[in-house]
Amino acid sequence: MAKPAKSVMIDIGIDEKDRAAIADGLSRLLADTFGLYQKTHSFHWNVTGPMFNTLHAMFMEQYTELWNALDEIAERIRALGFPAPGSSGQYAKLTTIKEEQGVPPAMDMIRQLVEGHEAVARTARKVFAAAEKGGDEPTADLLTQRLQIHEKTAWMLRSMLE
């Protein structure tokens, strides 16, 4: 569990134990989002084949959205009074996203990204219990937005596999 940042006392109506549990879950969401961002960006650079233009542009849109989400998630962790993880070592310990060491064919890239978006959705869903217990509506709202994006993106990618 993350240790609170050394600063002024925080009194936002969520006790420290609940804030810590929420920040811990959000740290896992941040790590998964970063792992999926890296994978999507790499696939953008390395995709080839007859769907190159479509996938290259789609992957760019997706990694840009993921990049922007990182800031929102990290800032919510900070608003709760905890440091946001920011190193590759921290992310490696927290993430459920498997790294791709090579350059798979385009259809395998799509499959991996479907799996990645579904994994991030599962991670986001797990944080809801802590957010609800603590009465943390801003985190619940953030999680809802992230779930909508990841579930829609997974559906769109999955549609390309049919």
Side-chain angles (χ1 to χ4, degrees), residues 46-60:
N46 293 302
V47 69
T48 59
M51 294 191 305
F52 170 80
N53 283 331
T54 300
L55 293 177
H56 186 72
M58 179 186 288
F59 293 166
M60 183 169 75

Side-chain angles (χ1 to χ4, degrees), residues 60-73:
M60 183 169 75
E61 183 179 317
Q62 291 172 6
Y63 78 68
T64 300
E65 193 286 323
L66 290 163
W67 179 256
N68 291 328
L70 291 169
D71 207 47
E72 291 182 37
I73 298 164

Side-chain angles (χ1 to χ4, degrees), residues 4 22 30-31 51 56 100 108 146 151 162:
I22 296 163
L30 183 66
M51 294 191 305
H56 186 72
E100 173 57 61
D108 289 343
R146 298 309 314 149
E151 289 177 2
E162 293 179 1

